[in-house]
Amino acid sequence: MGAGHAHVLYRSADSPVHRLPPEVKIAAMVAFTLAVVATPREALWAFGAYALLVAAVAALARVTARWLLLRSTIELPFVLFAFALPFLGAGERVDVAGWQLSVDGLYGAWNIIAKGTLGVWASLLLAATTSTRDLIVGLDRLRCPQILTQIATFMLRYLDVLVGEARRMRLARISRGDDPRFVWQLRGFAAGIGALFLRAFERGERVYLAMVSRGYTGRMPPVWQGTATATTGQWLIAATVPVMAATVAATAAVLT
Amino acid sequence: MRGVRYAYPDGHVALHGIDLTVAKGERVALLGPNGAGKTTLVLHLNGILTPSEGHVVVGGLAVDQDRATLAEIRRRVGIVFQDPDDQLFLPTVAEDVAFGPANLGLRGPELAARVDEALAAVGMSGHRDRAPHHLSFGQRRRVAVATVLAMRPEILVLDEPSSNLDPAARRELADILRSLPVTLLMVTHDLPYAFELCDRSVILDGGRIVADGPTPVLLDDEELLARHRLELPYPFRPIRGRAPADE
């Protein structure tokens, strides 16, 4: 769908992964992540197998390793804590390059980083092959509560409007000699945020009036659910990845 | 509308007894300065606001708060709001145009036909899958008109249709509006636009109708316009056709 250029992560291309309906991709991504999370941390080989699966899907979707690695730096702030675990962990110690590290802590850090990274990769692959608009359609078809998909739809529509408003307000401020280069000069910026909030609030009311004028009664008409939903075949194709992941997870659980 | 009076919750009276009848197929301009109560009046036409006194009848159907009546009234009266960004809230043009008729219960091919018809009427068929924020302002205004046309209204109400449009977009919209076989009520202070499109004009000021008559006659009454903070662009004179300096 031509919902525009507003996607940061979407990689426009035509691949078997791009062509799959969004709902099966979302389901596959969630199932894959669940399988990864359920894997015992000691089964190091299993995570290698998951990485191979991700690489295979990425190759199919024509997403390069470079793009995937660069984008996955997003998880760094969330896993920073994991790097401290080997030093803080209790119990048995092991000597690594002259450092006394906790075995339990090492496993804990590995657990967080490996599972986190695989989850981020799976999400990135979904985002790279599905436009934001289609993601919402997919969630809607998966019977995600309408209130959530509606909020997401409004965000998608009005984010650009808000950004445009903020930009114009900033230009107007700068044109009147505002030059906020230091934290203590942020007063104008803060007031701008307040004004932006008020404007968004008032706009919400006007949008609602316009919706009511067109017969809105509190529920969105089911316009999109009916068209081109996934076939059984497409579900089966998309299921291969999470099924393989689940097999790996089950094997790992039995072996350890 | 008969004797419509409306006070906002804070006690401010916006409409002091409005009597206004618009015949089927008429094109009427509702003129008035800022704060005259024009938008408040418009919101009474489809039952979003309920008069504290008086009543509104659309095509023989009295506007009340009954759900079925309201749904029918909102089908008959289509309001195009001033800011197309308020009107277009869905991610693609086609979805937004489908919103109104889908609320009326249309589905499938019938719905698709309505969307095609409305987009064709405003010359936007080629942009159906685009996102509203990637269209120009004039295109968004035209799509906003289409979102309402898709409901096949009997009365089309436009709030400041020419505001913020460049001259070409303004003329294109005028051509579209002239081609539509509906009753038209146009809220504006763009007097030449009213002159171009509407035979009849109504001036609203301070919540009262202060003049109602043929547009050229009203626009030629300089004193009347001045009294209600309305002004023609300097050289524009509909009847005498010349600026005073030329006489």
Side-chain angles (χ1 to χ4, degrees):
Chain A
M1 259 183 235
H5 333 284
H7 319 297
V8 187
L9 296 174
Y10 183 61
R11 314 271 291 161
S12 183
D14 187 38
S15 79
V17 188
H18 281 80
R19 280 195 295 272
L20 278 178
E23 63 269 33
V24 306
K25 282 188 272 187
I26 296 171
M29 190 277 281
V30 172
F32 173 81
T33 311
L34 285 178
V36 169
V37 171
T39 309
R41 59 187 190 181
E42 289 83 6
L44 301 186
W45 62 271
F47 294 97
Y50 295 141
L52 279 180
L53 269 175
V54 168
V57 176
L60 254 181
R62 308 224 184 92
V63 173
T64 60
R66 190 188 135 78
W67 185 86
L68 210 53
L69 289 176
L70 274 178
R71 292 290 172 174
S72 48
T73 49
I74 178 87
E75 72 166 326
L76 275 181
F78 301 96
V79 295
L80 265 183
F81 167 72
F83 289 101
L85 281 181
F87 300 95
L88 303 175
E92 201 187 327
R93 296 258 155 184
V94 64
D95 187 78
V96 180
W99 298 31
Q100 290 292 314
L101 299 180
S102 150
V103 174
D104 200 42
L106 276 173
Y107 270 124
W110 160 253
N111 194 35
I112 293 173
I113 293 170
K115 290 179 179 177
T117 309
L118 284 165
V120 168
W121 281 347
S123 314
L124 280 173
L125 280 178
L126 175 67
T129 58
T130 321
S131 70
T132 327
R133 176 79 204 101
D134 281 352
L135 280 177
I136 296 173
V137 172
L139 285 172
D140 212 37
R141 288 185 188 152
L142 288 170
R143 303 278 178 274
C144 177
Q146 223 194 10
I147 183 81
L148 295 181
T149 54
Q150 272 189 43
I151 291 173
T153 309
F154 278 99
M155 268 177 56
L156 183 60
R157 170 68 182 89
Y158 285 107
L159 198 61
D160 280 14
V161 175
L162 271 181
V163 168
E165 249 167 33
R167 192 176 298 134
R168 286 193 297 275
M169 282 162 66
R170 183 177 153 270
L171 280 181
R173 245 184 5 251
I174 291 176
S175 307
R176 285 188 292 160
D178 189 26
D179 185 18
R181 267 188 269 184
F182 302 101
V183 181
W184 53 91
Q185 295 178 337
L186 282 178
R187 204 186 155 270
F189 173 76
I193 294 281
L196 197 64
F197 173 77
L198 275 182
R199 281 213 213 177
F201 188 76
E202 284 168 357
R203 182 182 295 282
E205 202 163 310
R206 293 198 305 270
V207 171
Y208 177 72
L209 278 185
M211 287 169 75
V212 169
S213 296
R214 287 195 282 157
Y216 179 71
T217 50
R219 265 199 79 79
M220 292 293 277
V223 183
W224 315 296
Q225 281 134 345
T227 51
T229 45
T231 61
T232 318
Q234 286 168 323
W235 277 107
L236 287 177
I237 293 170
T240 49
V241 174
V243 164
M244 277 151 83
T247 316
V248 171
T251 319
V254 172
L255 290 182
T256 47
Chain B
M1 300 185 103
R2 278 283 157 266
V4 168
R5 203 184 131 83
Y6 181 79
Y8 274 101
D10 63 1
H12 171 74
V13 180
L15 300 176
H16 298 268
I18 299 286
D19 289 309
L20 179 65
T21 308
V22 177
K24 200 172 155 63
E26 233 184 338
R27 285 206 294 261
V28 179
L30 182 59
L31 313 173
N34 292 332
K38 302 187 298 280
T39 305
T40 309
L41 190 152
V42 162
L43 292 178
H44 278 84
L45 295 176
N46 71 349
I48 284 186
L49 296 180
T50 314
S52 31
E53 278 169 43
H55 59 273
V56 180
V57 179
V58 179
L61 186 61
V63 179
D64 58 30
Q65 290 305 308
D66 172 58
R67 276 177 83 94
T69 317
L70 271 186
E72 174 59 16
I73 291 289
R74 285 173 190 165
R75 186 197 68 74
R76 289 188 190 182
V77 182
I79 302 183
V80 181
F81 288 86
Q82 189 175 351
D83 185 349
D85 279 332
D86 293 342
Q87 187 110 20
L88 309 175
F89 69 101
L90 285 168
T92 68
V93 165
E95 282 170 51
D96 216 297
V97 176
F99 177 74
N103 280 329
L104 298 177
L106 267 65
R107 297 287 180 270
E110 215 184 339
L111 182 61
R114 279 289 181 97
V115 174
D116 292 342
E117 170 194 294
L119 283 174
V122 298
M124 290 294 292
S125 302
H127 300 276
R128 47 177 309 138
D129 290 326
R130 295 189 60 194
H133 55 266
H134 294 140
L135 301 175
S136 74
F137 193 85
Q139 288 173 323
R140 268 181 283 164
R141 169 84 29 89
R142 269 147 67 188
V143 173
V145 173
T147 64
V148 170
L149 283 184
M151 299 175 79
R152 293 213 184 125
E154 287 158 29
I155 304 170
L156 187 60
V157 182
L158 300 131
D159 197 353
E160 296 289 357
S162 62
S163 61
N164 287 332
L165 293 183
D166 60 42
R170 184 175 177 277
R171 179 182 44 74
E172 283 159 11
L173 184 67
D175 292 340
I176 291 164
L177 295 179
R178 212 178 283 117
S179 72
L180 299 174
V182 291
T183 309
L184 202 78
L185 183 70
M186 198 171 93
V187 175
T188 189
H189 27 225
D190 181 346
L191 303 185
Y193 214 55
F195 178 63
E196 197 183 337
L197 285 168
C198 304
D199 297 329
R200 177 182 161 203
S201 288
V202 174
I203 298 180
L204 187 74
D205 196 4
R208 287 187 178 85
I209 289 185
V210 293
D212 183 348
T215 309
V217 175
L218 255 57
L219 295 196
D220 207 54
D221 190 340
E222 223 167 323
E223 203 198 325
L224 171 76
L225 295 184
R227 223 180 311 136
H228 302 292
R229 300 182 58 81
L230 293 169
E231 276 172 31
L232 287 168
Y234 171 65
F236 185 89
R237 273 293 192 74
I239 288 181
R240 273 164 281 176
R242 258 180 239 184
D246 297 340
E247 287 168 0

